[in-house]
Amino acid sequence: MAIRQTKQKRVILGVLEKAGRPMSPQEILSSAQQDVPLLSLATVYRVIRGLEADGTIVPVSIPGESARYETHLKAAHHHHHFHCERCSRVFDVPGCGLRVDAHLPGGYRITRHEVMLYGSCIECAATS
Amino acid sequence: MAIRQTKQKRVILGVLEKAGRPMSPQEILSSAQQDVPLLSLATVYRVIRGLEADGTIVPVSIPGESARYETHLKAAHHHHHFHCERCSRVFDVPGCGLRVDAHLPGGYRITRHEVMLYGSCIECAATS
DNA sequence: TCGCTAATAGTAATGTATTAGCAGTAGGAG
DNA sequence: CTCCTACTGCTAATACATTACTATTAGCGA
């Protein structure tokens, strides 16, 4: 039989669509548990794997932490990310301030790049 | 008594100074074992911790992999990194092509940024 | 050179993120 | 409505990087 629609899947995707930022499996779990209290982390991972496989969501990897995920729609527009060092949440930064490099020694073949900004997000900066 | 000079420490630091790029603990181990064949990974980590603590070396973190380390001298000049997706080695990219962002919504406080370029290094690109 | 003890090698243990296994639950085709 | 089986929740297992532990080795001050 084919893949089934379940409440868990609907809620998890809904969480990602409503969130204005990439979320970690744990964040997704916490948020989705408001609708499905018994939701388990294993299910979050399973659903994420499926959504990533069919291209509905895209991973945003971060050094030292688990990946965040955002919807394919968001990812369609080239952009980068801001990582708050206090609350560890990740936010989207529209556009790309990278001047494609004259600096790299020749011979290297660049296929993509990531820019990560670090600092304090609005909320955390306010609570300084 | 104070900290002691050992062959292991000398060799490990030497490896990092001679290498033109940030290295992972495993890479450091392999390279250093040419001089100290019995060197153990535990010692590499211990020495790294010490060198990082006193500021002699600086970590370069990478999503999904263990951190690389480079000497404080290299790190002194603002630069970024290139990560070869075939051999997974990391190389330095002199300078910074980032135009400091007009795009970020106000209120965020940026303290630093990382730019990671991905693709194939010279050697791997040649072996395509 | 001697002796104290920091440092090492080797290995077991730890921490953490992700996955597998399994019995029970619930989509959805017929 | 029924039945088949994909999906779920739970927990144990895995993978991995990093650290702790311990007997042994080797800096280095006297």
Side-chain angles (χ1 to χ4, degrees):
Chain A
M1 191 182 290
I3 290 174
R4 289 177 187 168
Q5 263 317 311
T6 66
K7 181 164 190 183
Q8 288 83 347
K9 290 181 187 173
R10 259 176 278 124
V11 169
I12 289 174
L13 183 53
V15 163
L16 284 173
E17 282 172 344
K18 266 172 286 182
R21 58 191 187 79
M23 297 179 84
S24 69
Q26 277 294 346
E27 287 176 314
I28 294 170
L29 177 66
S30 304
S31 180
Q33 279 181 334
Q34 297 181 343
D35 293 306
V36 185
L38 291 185
L39 184 64
S40 85
L41 187 55
T43 297
V44 173
Y45 275 106
R46 268 187 300 245
V47 173
I48 283 176
R49 218 187 313 165
L51 292 174
E52 184 179 354
D54 69 26
T56 306
I57 63 175
V58 171
V60 177
S61 42
I62 300 172
E65 302 196 29
S66 44
R68 311 302 157 100
Y69 295 87
E70 64 186 347
T71 62
H72 150 265
L73 280 181
K74 285 273 178 56
H77 302 70
H78 183 62
H79 67 281
H80 294 298
H81 300 99
F82 175 92
H83 186 190
C84 178
E85 292 181 311
R86 297 216 211 160
C87 66
S88 86
R89 288 184 298 178
V90 175
F91 299 86
D92 284 331
V93 177
C96 174
L98 197 65
R99 152 167 48 90
V100 182
D101 323 70
H103 293 304
L104 196 63
Y108 288 83
R109 188 180 302 159
I110 300 177
T111 57
R112 65 193 182 84
H113 66 264
E114 298 283 351
V115 175
M116 187 68 71
L117 307 177
Y118 296 90
S120 303
C121 71
I122 300 184
E123 292 173 38
C124 290
T127 319
S128 59
Chain B
M1 193 182 289
I3 290 175
R4 290 177 188 169
Q5 261 321 309
T6 66
K7 182 164 190 184
Q8 288 83 348
K9 289 181 186 173
R10 258 176 279 126
V11 168
I12 289 174
L13 184 54
V15 163
L16 285 172
E17 282 172 345
K18 266 173 287 186
R21 57 191 189 77
M23 297 180 85
S24 69
Q26 278 292 348
E27 288 176 314
I28 295 171
L29 177 67
S30 304
S31 180
Q33 279 180 333
Q34 297 182 344
D35 293 307
V36 186
L38 291 185
L39 184 64
S40 86
L41 186 56
T43 297
V44 173
Y45 275 106
R46 263 187 305 247
V47 172
I48 284 176
R49 218 187 313 164
L51 292 174
E52 184 180 353
D54 67 27
T56 305
I57 63 176
V58 172
V60 177
S61 41
I62 300 173
E65 302 195 30
S66 44
R68 312 302 157 100
Y69 294 87
E70 64 186 346
T71 62
H72 149 267
L73 281 181
K74 285 271 178 57
H77 302 70
H78 183 61
H79 67 280
H80 295 299
H81 299 100
F82 175 90
H83 186 190
C84 178
E85 292 181 312
R86 297 214 211 162
C87 65
S88 86
R89 288 184 300 178
V90 175
F91 300 87
D92 284 331
V93 178
C96 174
L98 197 65
R99 153 166 48 90
V100 182
D101 325 70
H103 292 303
L104 195 64
Y108 288 81
R109 188 180 302 161
I110 300 177
T111 57
R112 65 193 182 85
H113 67 264
E114 298 282 352
V115 175
M116 186 69 70
L117 308 177
Y118 296 91
S120 303
C121 70
I122 299 183
E123 291 173 39
C124 290
T127 321
S128 60

